[in-house]
Amino acid sequence: MGRYLLQRLGQCLLLLALVSMIGFAILHLAPGGPLSQFALSSQMSQEDLDRITRQLGLDRPLLAQYLDWLWRMLRGDWGLSFRDGAPVSAVIGSHLRATFELMAVSTVIAIGLGCWIGILGAVRRYSLFDTLATIGAMVALSIPTFWFGLIAIYLFSVQLGWLPAGNRQTIGDGSPLDLLHHLIAPALVLALVETAIWARFMRSAMLEVIGQDYIRTARAKGLPERQVLRGHATRNALLPMITLAGLQFPTLLGGALVTETVFTWPGMGRLFLDSIEYRDYPVVMGILMFSAVMVLLGSLLADMLYAVADPRIRMG
Amino acid sequence: MASRNSDFASPTRRGLIALGAGAALGLGRATSGFAQARPPASPRGQVVAGISQEPTVFNPLMPGSEVDQGVWWQVFSPLWYIDPQGKLVADLAREVPSLENGGLSADGLVWKVKLRSDAKWHDGTPFTAEDVKYTLDLINNPGFRVRNRVGHGLVRDIRVVAPDEIHWRMESAYSPYLSILALTFIVPRHILEKASDPNTAPFNSAPVGTGPFRWGERVAGDHILLQANPAYHGQGPHLERIVFKYIPDLTMLYTQFRTGQVDYLGLSGISAHFVREAQSLRGRKVSLSPTAFVEHIALNLEYGPFAEKAVREALYLAMNKQARIDALYYGLPVPTESFLPQQSWAYADKLPVHRHDPAKANALLDAAGWVRGPDGIRAKAGVRLEFTNSTTVGNPGREQSQQLLAQDWQAVGAAMRISNMPAAVIWGEFWQKSKFQSVMVGSNFMQGSDPDVTPRFSSKAIPAKGGSGLNTCQYQNAEVDTLLAQGATQFDQAARKATYGRIQQIIRDDLALLPIYQTVMAEGLKDGLQGFAANINCSSNCWNMRSWYWAS
């Protein structure tokens, strides 16, 4: 197990190095730069733009810039944002909380609701509930998240006035109730796709387990159906879900990106989009590396938990 | 003399009313915004200003956008500012220097500025001439990432004569400097001089100014909160708080204005297709304010066919301006013939008015020897009347506009091929080094609020020919060069108006660019919000939030 862990950590470091190189190259080779937003400004001439480019060190060779960034990154210095001059770690930190709030709540909803729908769908296979759940899941997976977001805003904010049309809090309020009020719509929208995924996976896993011999044995022993499902089937069917939880992190991040934009949620997703638009290289690289670390950790953690949960799995 | 009132051109106002634009606020002489009411005795309430870009630059000398300037106007003060009528109004200065009051020498080289002695920085430190000197020195500091040094680079021998008086000498007379200083905010010496590097000073993320509002808090990616400055040296503020709420999506921004979460929707404005609906909303008002941006077709005058004036004239005659304005922009923009906004004191209102006349365009081209080929496209001496037109990808209005333009020009035997690019590509070398053939673009040609267009039309300002400036169309005209040099050294506004009037006539006659319209921005306000006054002379209509208040 220890050897396997070291092996995996080594792979992770190699992957991170690749991500940083490819990300840095693509980002810097893309047309434009942090000053392109001023290209049409009547207040700035090309000379001004060239001067500031030199002052920011963006005129140096790409390799020199990369090595400089890497050296500082390894020492824990993520650099300063081009947009507001604040340390990148502080910029990312200030947006993290909002994203994690959104992701945590929507994940809890998605896992709870998705597993329940999946289990029930498997147990009552081909019933009306199962058919409706399948259709619902397909609809949720087929329609873009932003559309659901817009519909939610139109319905619950514009027409009914029940929920705020976006934002994380009422400025000057920020009470838990106010935060919750603002969280309902984006969390539900973000959870929608996740719920569909969880429901489909759970249904498949449950169907597979229900067909196993030990379930038949349990039933033959005269155990009540509820006990068979809860004690034997569900627990075993949940095992693959651990892996899914680890692998769902990138999907969740992607979903948060769209949801945050629609609901003007001040999280990492929106920060990432804004930073790309303004070519704020240090922040984009910071988010890229942070996300890569999180994804790799998620996958590693899922593998570890799987081994812990299922003694049959042997690492290495 | 720059501090004189000048009339706004009325056609704009009439045009807007004719378009059924409702109350064309911000266009009148006394732009008082909405219904009159008394401001409260002490600051009361807050305004949430919804904006589609996030303000991120809080040092007002560094490169920033219009949204950043919206914040700067609240936190900082300039020596003087320009009101909606184009009049210079003293702010940190006691009076605007002029030839009459001795603030300016007759040759325009010596400047003597008297300052207020009752202004204080937000931390209680008195504002003095040392702060002005420090600001000008910092702008000229080679290591500082200043926005630009236009005008400032001419300042020499700054002398603090007294805590409330400062003198300097200009290397050469430069009248636009009055306008440039009207958009130059003074920064605190006592804070910034302690920073090892002004580019990364803590001040840059928690600014201290002399403005009507103090820095409150910033929740990155969400909002900026400013608090009333009770020690403000001017009138106001009448609000306790101002919140700049960042909502990147224009539809969401409008939705939040509609649902009441946003009190003022400005800076980016209401999208054209929402304007009519917004005007019908209960409890909301829409202000239609002209901006300084002129939408035009920029022609590369060194590119074959465009070098010939007859071709430019024919293309202009063949262009159906009004169809585009009505069909694509809901009749909001104002047709124009000049590169200057119609509210500028220097605007020439006697320029020839464009007519859509394809028949005359065809006749012109026939007379000039441009013969139609078998495919209907004209050619002359082996050169086809064929060119590309480029604009930013993802701008639906402009992209549709190009389609109409291609049809218009096809009718007179000119083939326009659309070649659009991402903003970062098109406004890079392609634009700067004149590698384009024609471009559809909206530009603010002024220097702040000054009509000096030397960087745009001087023959020494062509980057593709080693010049320094923004003359990417490669326009060259000896008379314009002379007039530009003359205008930049005149200090009498009447004389300058004549100079820039003549420049506008020449540019219109030469068709150095094909002007289409002056853009109009629709801003939304909640009923009861008083004091809003659109000001084309500032980069932001948030320039006077100190005067805003809620009617009881």
Side-chain angles (χ1 to χ4, degrees), chain B residues 182-506:
Chain B
L183 292 172
T184 303
F185 296 95
I186 306 302
V187 295
R189 173 190 159 179
H190 68 284
I191 293 174
L192 272 167
E193 72 176 353
K194 289 178 189 155
S196 55
D197 179 3
N199 295 305
T200 56
F203 165 90
N204 298 348
S205 50
V208 174
T210 50
F213 291 91
R214 288 181 294 117
W215 186 256
E217 66 163 4
R218 176 187 178 214
V219 175
D222 191 59
H223 71 268
I224 287 164
L225 176 71
L226 305 177
Q227 308 271 14
N229 170 19
Y232 180 54
H233 57 267
Q235 287 203 330
H238 306 306
L239 294 165
E240 284 175 284
R241 286 175 307 276
I242 285 179
V243 176
F244 286 96
K245 178 78 180 86
Y246 168 49
I247 302 161
D249 184 90
L250 289 175
T251 304
M252 285 302 109
L253 179 55
Y254 172 69
T255 303
Q256 293 201 20
F257 170 66
R258 194 178 144 169
T259 56
Q261 287 164 280
V262 163
D263 303 314
Y264 161 70
L265 193 167
L267 297 164
S268 51
I270 300 170
S271 301
H273 57 283
F274 285 134
V275 170
R276 287 210 191 285
E277 184 196 277
Q279 285 170 328
S280 66
L281 290 176
R282 283 183 59 194
R284 306 285 184 276
K285 283 199 164 74
V286 174
S287 159
L288 294 165
S289 324
T291 76
F293 282 80
V294 172
E295 184 83 0
H296 63 283
I297 303 294
L299 304 170
N300 185 344
L301 301 169
E302 300 277 303
Y303 174 71
F306 298 147
E308 194 175 332
K309 189 179 165 184
V311 170
R312 301 198 297 270
E313 279 182 347
L315 293 177
Y316 195 46
L317 281 164
M319 183 196 294
N320 190 346
K321 274 192 200 188
Q322 201 57 50
R324 294 168 60 186
I325 290 170
D326 293 340
L328 303 177
Y329 297 101
Y330 303 84
L332 291 174
V334 182
T336 190
E337 302 297 336
S338 171
F339 52 81
L340 288 182
Q342 299 180 13
Q343 290 65 35
S344 167
W345 55 262
Y347 174 72
D349 54 1
K350 299 281 192 290
L351 298 174
V353 177
H354 165 268
R355 281 182 303 118
H356 175 227
D357 193 344
K360 194 178 175 187
N362 273 316
L364 255 177
L365 290 169
D366 289 341
W370 289 90
V371 183
R372 280 185 190 265
D375 59 352
I377 304 305
R378 293 174 183 272
K380 180 181 174 181
V383 177
R384 277 166 62 85
L385 187 45
E386 192 173 25
F387 50 88
T388 59
N389 183 267
S390 309
T391 195
T392 316
V393 166
N395 185 325
R398 284 217 182 106
E399 285 170 345
Q400 290 165 11
S401 193
Q402 282 178 314
Q403 304 280 356
L404 290 178
L405 203 54
Q407 284 176 30
D408 289 344
W409 286 347
Q410 181 83 30
V412 295
M416 180 189 116
R417 284 180 293 106
I418 295 168
S419 171
N420 294 342
M421 305 168 193
V425 179
I426 192 170
W427 309 126
E429 277 219 338
F430 181 76
W431 170 253
Q432 298 285 351
K433 300 291 182 192
S434 306
K435 292 178 178 174
F436 64 94
Q437 291 173 6
S438 75
V439 162
M440 189 180 288
V441 61
S443 296
N444 176 356
F445 285 81
M446 298 197 296
Q447 300 247 41
S449 64
D450 195 273
D452 177 34
V453 281
T454 305
R456 297 280 182 168
F457 297 116
S458 164
S459 58
K460 293 187 184 121
I462 304 172
K465 294 180 176 172
S468 167
L470 301 163
N471 187 353
T472 51
C473 294
Q474 308 194 72
Y475 177 69
Q476 295 181 82
N477 182 305
E479 189 185 352
V480 168
D481 283 347
T482 307
L483 288 164
L484 286 170
Q486 182 182 298
T489 52
Q490 290 173 314
F491 283 84
D492 177 69
Q493 198 179 71
R496 293 191 82 205
K497 187 174 166 69
T499 304
Y500 291 107
R502 177 68 190 135
I503 291 171
Q504 287 168 85
Q505 277 172 1
I506 298 169

Side-chain angles (χ1 to χ4, degrees), chain A residues 8-316:
Chain A
R8 282 294 305 268
L9 283 171
Q11 286 173 355
C12 286
L13 286 174
L14 190 67
L15 270 170
L16 285 175
L18 275 172
V19 165
S20 76
M21 274 186 254
I22 295 167
F24 197 92
I26 289 174
L27 195 60
H28 282 73
L29 293 175
L35 296 172
S36 58
Q37 57 173 313
F38 302 116
L40 279 180
S41 168
S42 59
Q43 293 187 27
M44 291 178 83
S45 66
Q46 189 56 42
E47 290 76 24
D48 292 315
L49 298 176
D50 292 344
R51 171 176 51 80
I52 296 167
T53 300
R54 280 194 304 275
Q55 288 173 324
L56 289 170
L58 293 170
D59 58 332
R60 294 177 306 154
L62 197 58
L63 184 64
Q65 288 185 57
Y66 173 73
L67 292 174
D68 181 41
W69 170 84
L70 186 66
W71 175 238
R72 280 191 289 103
M73 195 81 173
L74 291 172
R75 286 179 301 150
D77 175 10
W78 295 28
L80 298 175
S81 160
F82 287 160
R83 281 175 72 205
D84 59 11
V88 170
S89 50
V91 174
I92 291 175
S94 66
H95 288 72
L96 255 183
R97 188 179 159 181
T99 292
F100 276 145
E101 269 172 20
L102 189 59
M103 282 169 72
V105 173
S106 63
T107 303
V108 167
I109 294 169
I111 292 176
L113 199 64
C115 287
W116 179 76
I117 292 169
I119 292 166
L120 213 62
V123 172
R124 300 180 186 174
R125 200 175 174 186
Y126 304 134
S127 66
L128 178 66
F129 175 85
D130 186 34
T131 309
L132 288 176
T134 304
I135 292 168
M138 288 304 139
V139 168
L141 287 168
S142 309
I143 293 175
T145 312
F146 75 84
W147 186 84
F148 284 120
L150 292 174
I151 291 297
I153 289 170
Y154 179 74
L155 261 178
F156 300 115
S157 307
V158 177
Q159 291 301 320
L160 300 168
W162 292 351
L163 296 171
N167 306 334
R168 184 171 163 263
Q169 63 183 87
T170 305
I171 293 156
D173 188 338
S175 62
L177 205 66
D178 180 66
L179 288 171
L180 195 66
H181 194 213
H182 283 81
L183 191 58
I184 295 169
L188 284 175
V189 166
L190 183 58
L192 204 63
V193 175
E194 292 297 306
T195 304
I197 293 168
W198 280 91
R200 299 307 297 159
F201 271 89
M202 191 69 209
R203 183 180 180 275
S204 302
M206 196 72 182
L207 282 173
E208 198 179 325
V209 168
I210 283 171
Q212 298 287 328
D213 289 345
Y214 61 86
I215 297 292
R216 206 173 303 125
T217 307
R219 281 176 178 152
K221 281 196 312 187
L223 283 178
E225 186 65 12
R226 181 178 285 245
Q227 204 176 328
V228 170
L229 292 176
R230 201 179 280 182
H232 296 271
T234 307
R235 281 181 67 178
N236 283 310
L238 278 170
L239 273 178
M241 298 298 115
I242 295 171
T243 312
L244 182 67
L247 298 176
Q248 274 305 88
F249 185 78
T251 315
L252 204 56
L253 261 183
L257 201 117
V258 176
T259 312
E260 285 177 6
T261 304
V262 173
F263 287 96
T264 58
W265 194 264
M268 291 265 288
R270 242 178 60 191
L271 174 69
F272 190 59
L273 285 177
D274 285 351
S275 303
I276 284 178
E277 188 184 342
Y278 288 94
R279 301 289 198 281
D280 193 346
Y281 300 145
V283 174
V284 176
M285 285 307 295
I287 295 173
L288 198 65
M289 296 315 290
F290 177 81
S291 306
V293 167
M294 294 303 284
V295 169
L296 290 171
L297 271 180
S299 146
L300 188 63
L301 204 65
D303 287 354
M304 296 293 133
L305 281 173
Y306 205 101
V308 170
D310 188 348
R312 292 170 304 175
I313 306 290
R314 285 282 167 269
M315 297 295 186

